[in-house]
Amino acid sequence: MTILDHIRKHTAAGDKHIYTLILTPRTSTLISQVLEEEGVLGEITILPYNLQFIPLEDDVISLEHENAFKEIWLDGDETALYNSAQALLTLQRLYGLFPRILGKGEHAERLARLLIRLNSQQITTPGLPVSQGVSEKIDSLIIVERRADMVTPMLTQLTYEGLIDELVGVSNTYVELPANIVSPPSQANTSEIQQNLLASYELNTQLTHLEDLVAEGADRRTILRMMVLASVVSGGIKVKQLESLKRVFLQTYGYELLPTLLSLESLQLLQSNPLPPSQAHLPSMKLPFTALRKQLRLLIEESEGGTDAMPNDISYVYSGYAPLSIRLVQCVAQMNAVLASFNASDSGKGKGKGKDVSQASEMPKMNAHPIVGWKGFEDVINTIPGPTIDITQTGIESKAQGPSLFPKEQSTTTVVFFLGGCTFTEITAIRWMAKRTRGRRFMIATTGVVSGNSLIESLLPAAKPKTAKVAGGSS
């Protein structure tokens, strides 16, 4: 029943009620207009409820905006961007200004600029403190734009929570198990193809295997994820191969999925190499993955990464692949771990490789270093598409320069905000960082928890509602 149905039913019955409509995160002029046209606006009190961040766990807060990625990058709707700025603004009002705001990407920059502008325009709200000094509890805000790393969510998650999300789906921290649950399909074939794509190993062979999976009737979401992964890591797929793959996909799963393929092309997640003339004029979002794989050591030998019980690097969460998004966070908040990763690789080339790995597994926690921006990684960061953000806030009432410049004995907190969503596996990787760092905690904030499946599903055509059969009607 809709709101109007309830009111009309009560009116017809002669019942009198007080109607209150609570909208989150704010009231809508459009809804008021519809209610006015229906002649019931005067009977309803409309109130806003600015819910903002919802705590999912002690170190995870989320706006639970499920379709933020599609709305921002495909639809051009920046409502999620504004809601994110408002939520981060509330954190600043409670704990003080973020001493430093860092990020990568066009929309990450827009979010940072919007946050600063809203902060300068904010009006005092009764009961809510307004702190214009630099925070002594938070050392920085790192904005991770989902579009800057589309490799990670396309991979099959291998952590406990991640696997549950992959196989069953997690929504608002809850799982709904079907009554007729059966054994999940094997992930062996897809995992092998993914690892080979990450290593740029025989791309043509992997695409052939992908066509075989289509012929076997694999989940269409899995196929689309693999197509995106192949395109992103290789800088595009050869024209003939891509056209063949698209044709086989549509013939198998239906031509109603053509808009989905067009959406992926519009997002530059499914590209041919070279680009067609119609796309040549667009700003390139091509990720230099092959170079980044070497510069940031995104692929690590399993022997160098330690074991699941005692890992040495964040790459353990994907059995040898370090999520690019989390490597970027490490470049800012855990530089020592990135450098240690390089040193481990160099030492591993010697005879004492096994001994070195064992010693690395028992290494003590690293002391938190001051937040100095992208220092030491500027050249690498600049190769990733989009502007690089590094903004220092001083505050008008600040007497100190903040914990990022003058670290104190007490621990500080680094807020990592994922614009467009983060995966459970990325959360696990950040928690590993927190365990290995002394003097710095991490608060994970996000527009929502996503997976490759949920991102692809947001681009699929909406399911048509089933039409109820009418008794006595023709079949």
Side-chain angles (χ1 to χ4, degrees), residues 7-80:
I7 296 177
R8 288 167 179 164
K9 180 181 178 181
H10 294 157
T11 302
D15 298 334
K16 292 185 178 180
H17 295 271
I18 297 175
Y19 302 101
T20 302
L21 177 61
I22 301 176
L23 301 177
T24 181
R26 65 187 66 83
T27 57
S28 169
T29 303
L30 180 60
I31 291 179
S32 298
Q33 182 180 342
V34 171
L35 293 175
E36 184 178 14
E37 291 174 352
E38 296 293 335
V40 297
L41 180 60
E43 302 179 40
I44 301 178
T45 300
I46 302 178
L47 300 174
Y49 181 53
N50 199 1
L51 184 58
Q52 298 189 354
F53 284 128
I54 301 171
L56 302 184
E57 297 188 52
D58 292 342
D59 57 347
V60 182
I61 52 179
S62 172
L63 294 175
E64 293 298 88
H65 198 136
E66 295 179 354
N67 293 321
F69 175 81
K70 174 181 179 291
E71 292 173 5
I72 294 174
W73 279 278
L74 184 63
D75 300 337
D77 181 355
E78 297 191 349
T79 301

Side-chain angles (χ1 to χ4, degrees), residues 216 271 327 351:
E216 294 171 6
Q271 291 183 299
R327 273 284 193 254
K351 294 182 179 179

Side-chain angles (χ1 to χ4, degrees), residues 146 149 151-159 162 166 191 194-195 198 225 298-300 308 313-326 423-426 429 450-452:
R146 183 72 279 164
D149 175 21
V151 173
T152 298
M154 294 301 116
L155 297 172
T156 302
Q157 300 181 75
L158 302 177
T159 59
E166 291 283 348
S191 296
Q194 289 174 4
Q195 292 296 327
L198 290 173
R225 288 170 65 172
L298 300 181
L299 279 186
I300 292 181
D308 290 342
D313 185 77
I314 60 171
S315 59
Y316 86 96
V317 297
Y318 280 109
S319 294
Y321 168 72
L324 173 59
S325 54
I326 311 304
T423 65
F424 281 112
T425 300
E426 287 171 313
V450 299
S451 66

Side-chain angles (χ1 to χ4, degrees), residues 459-471:
L459 305 177
L460 293 174
K464 295 181 180 180
K466 295 183 179 179
T467 304
K469 293 183 178 180
V470 180

Side-chain angles (χ1 to χ4, degrees), residues 199-350:
S200 300
Y201 178 71
E202 296 184 353
L203 176 62
N204 295 340
T205 302
Q206 309 317 316
L207 295 177
T208 300
H209 291 330
L210 187 52
E211 289 192 9
D212 293 339
L213 287 177
V214 173
E216 294 171 6
D219 190 322
R220 61 184 182 177
R221 298 171 303 176
T222 300
I223 300 301
L224 289 172
R225 288 170 65 172
M226 304 280 274
M227 291 170 65
V228 169
L229 180 63
S231 176
V232 173
V233 300
S234 60
I237 303 172
K238 291 181 180 180
V239 178
K240 289 185 178 180
Q241 290 178 315
L242 181 57
E243 291 303 317
S244 173
L245 192 55
K246 288 161 57 177
R247 182 173 59 254
V248 171
F249 177 83
L250 292 174
Q251 290 174 346
T252 303
Y253 299 100
Y255 282 86
E256 65 271 17
L257 295 180
L258 179 58
T260 300
L261 296 181
L262 294 176
S263 295
L264 291 172
E265 291 178 356
S266 176
L267 290 166
Q268 299 189 40
L269 294 176
L270 189 60
Q271 291 183 299
S272 61
N273 188 8
L275 290 173
S278 60
Q279 297 182 13
H281 67 285
L282 297 175
S284 177
M285 290 295 293
K286 186 176 293 186
L287 186 72
F289 183 79
T290 302
L292 291 172
R293 184 178 61 204
K294 180 178 180 181
Q295 294 165 334
L296 294 177
R297 290 204 73 227
L298 300 181
L299 279 186
I300 292 181
E301 294 290 338
E302 190 172 351
S303 58
E304 295 177 16
T307 63
D308 290 342
M310 194 170 290
N312 298 331
D313 185 77
I314 60 171
S315 59
Y316 86 96
V317 297
Y318 280 109
S319 294
Y321 168 72
L324 173 59
S325 54
I326 311 304
R327 273 284 193 254
L328 295 179
V329 175
Q330 284 187 308
C331 288
V332 173
Q334 201 182 51
M335 294 187 296
N336 297 339
V338 181
L339 298 175
S341 177
F342 281 99
N343 294 335
S345 175
D346 294 338
S347 63
K349 296 176 183 178

Side-chain angles (χ1 to χ4, degrees), residues 178-197:
N180 59 341
I181 189 169
V182 295
S183 301
S186 173
Q187 301 287 331
N189 293 337
T190 57
S191 296
E192 183 179 354
I193 296 174
Q194 289 174 4
Q195 292 296 327
N196 289 336
L197 288 174

